[in-house]
Amino acid sequence: MWTVKAAAELLQQGDLVAFPTETVYGLGADACNARAVAKIYATKQRPSFNPLIAHCTDLAMAEKFGMFGLTAKKLAEHFWPGPLSLVVPLRPDSDIRELVTAGLDTIALRVPNHPIAQQLIAEFGGPLAAPSANLSGRLSPTQASHVRANFGEDLPILDGGPTRDGVESTILACLDNQLMLLRPGAVTAEQIEQVTGQQLTSHKIDEKAPLAPGMLLSHYAPNAKIRLEATSVEPGEALLAFGPDPIEGAAHVLNLSPTGDLIEAAANLFAHLHKLDATGATSIAVMNIPDHGLGIAINDRLSRAAAPRD
Ligand code: TXA
Ligand code: MG
C-alpha cells in the first residue's frame, strides 16, 4: 500500500504514480519534468503525442500556468473542484514542459474533486500531467484493479476504490471569448451554458485523425520545412540529430538524445523543434529515429510536422 507522501516522493524523483480522481484513474507525472512526462507515453504505449491535462489543487495553482479570462474564471469558480477541464492560453513563462501541451500554446487544466488526488497534488506541490491510466486503446480505468490489469504490479497505485463518475471530464476550450466543447463529459453543455449565459459550439476531438493546421486543435507546426530521414544536411538547414553520430556540417544542431535514448528524445522533441525553428532556418533536417517504443510517437509527430501545408 502506497501512502500519499511516498507517492509524492516518487513524483518528485520523476517517476509515475496512478491515482484516483472523481472521473477515472489518472497516470500522473510531474508536468514540469519532460522526462517524467515522456514516461507517461512510454508506459501507455501511446503511438502519438496528445496534449495532456494538468491537474491542480485549485484555481490559484492553475493560474500560474494558464491565463484565465472572465468566463474561464467564472467557470472555474463554479465547477472546480470537479470534472471540467478548461483549455486556456498557456502562460509563456510557465514551467510546464512542451510535451504536456504537445507544443501547443494552450493548456488543459483541471482541479479534480477527489480527496486523494487533492492530497497528492498538494503534497507534491505542483501540477500533475495525467491521462487516464490505461494502455493506449483500452478502456479507461475506474478502479485500481483496472489499472493493475493494464500495467501490472510494479506501477505504484493509490487505491481510492471505485471512482464516482466513471466518465472522463468535460473538456471546454475558452479561447478568444469563444466556448467550444471539445469532449462531452460529466459536466453537461447545459450546465455550462447556464453559468455563462453563452452558447457553446462543439468541436469534438478525434483522437485518431490528424488535426488540420489552422484548426483550434492544430498541433504545433514549425515555420521551417521538415525533412525526414536525413543522411546529409543541405546549405542553410538546421539539424535535429539523434544518437552518437550526428551528421556534420549544419550551422544549428540540437541532438534529441546523444545516447540514443527514446525517452530522452521524446522529452526534448518539442523544445528542440521550437529552438531550431527560432533560428530562422528554412528547413530542419531530421535524422532517422528508430520506429519502436516511443520512437513511434516521435515519428508520428515528426511526419505530421513534415506534411505539406499551405
Ligand atoms: O477525467 C479526465 O479528464 C481524466 C482524469 C485522469 O483526469 N483524464 C483524461 O486525460 O481523460 P486524457 O489524456 O485521456 O484526455 C485528455 C484530452 C485529450 O483528448 C487531449 O487531446 C485533450 O484532452 N487536450 C489536452 N490539452 C489540450 C489542449 N491544449 N487543446 C485541446 N485539447 C487538449
Ligand atoms: Mg484517455
Side-chain angles (χ1 to χ4, degrees), residues 16 22 49 57 63 70 82 89 96 99 113-114 151 165 175 189 267 271 308 310:
L16 306 184
E22 77 278 38
F49 296 122
T57 46
E63 281 190 300
L70 284 180
I96 293 284
L99 200 52
N113 184 8
H114 192 290
F151 301 115
D165 292 344
L175 302 167
D310 23 70

Side-chain angles (χ1 to χ4, degrees), residues 19-27 41 44 46 49-55 83-88 100-102 104-110 112 130-134 140 167-171 173 175 182-183 205-207 211 216-217 219:
F19 64 95
T21 78
E22 77 278 38
T23 60
V24 301
Y25 277 73
L27 182 62
Y41 290 98
K44 280 188 67 107
R46 221 175 199 182
F49 296 122
N50 278 321
L52 303 172
I53 299 168
H55 296 66
L84 177 66
S85 297
L86 295 172
V87 174
V88 297
V100 174
T101 62
L104 297 171
D105 54 9
T106 57
I107 182 164
L109 291 155
R110 135 164 162 79
S132 51
N134 52 274
S140 292
V167 291
E168 279 97 343
S169 64
T170 304
I171 304 180
L175 302 167
L182 302 181
R183 179 175 75 184
I205 301 169
D206 184 342
E207 305 267 340
L211 298 158
L216 173 73
L217 289 172
H219 278 279

Side-chain angles (χ1 to χ4, degrees), residues 40-202:
I40 290 179
Y41 290 98
T43 303
K44 280 188 67 107
Q45 299 168 20
R46 221 175 199 182
S48 63
F49 296 122
N50 278 321
L52 303 172
I53 299 168
H55 296 66
C56 299
T57 46
D58 54 14
L59 177 59
M61 184 187 279
E63 281 190 300
K64 292 188 194 150
F65 305 97
M67 296 190 283
F68 287 70
L70 284 180
T71 309
K73 205 162 186 160
K74 197 170 183 184
L75 287 166
E77 279 163 354
H78 191 274
F79 290 105
W80 284 359
L84 177 66
S85 297
L86 295 172
V87 174
V88 297
L90 177 68
R91 265 190 203 288
D93 56 349
S94 87
D95 293 329
I96 293 284
R97 293 299 89 169
E98 278 143 315
L99 200 52
V100 174
T101 62
L104 297 171
D105 54 9
T106 57
I107 182 164
L109 291 155
R110 135 164 162 79
V111 173
N113 184 8
H114 192 290
I116 296 178
Q118 279 285 338
Q119 286 160 25
L120 181 67
I121 304 164
E123 179 75 29
F124 171 68
L128 297 180
S132 51
N134 52 274
L135 289 164
S136 179
R138 303 265 191 89
L139 286 179
S140 292
T142 57
Q143 49 189 66
S145 64
H146 299 164
V147 182
R148 235 171 267 125
N150 276 269
F151 301 115
E153 299 292 330
D154 289 344
L155 178 76
I157 306 172
L158 291 173
D159 190 343
T163 61
R164 185 194 74 189
D165 292 344
V167 291
E168 279 97 343
S169 64
T170 304
I171 304 180
L172 183 74
C174 305
L175 302 167
D176 305 325
N177 289 319
Q178 256 207 45
L179 298 181
M180 198 176 270
L181 186 66
L182 302 181
R183 179 175 75 184
V187 170
T188 65
E190 290 72 29
Q191 288 174 302
I192 295 168
E193 283 172 350
Q194 226 160 46
V195 169
T196 61
Q198 251 187 75
Q199 270 224 278
L200 305 190
T201 52
S202 164

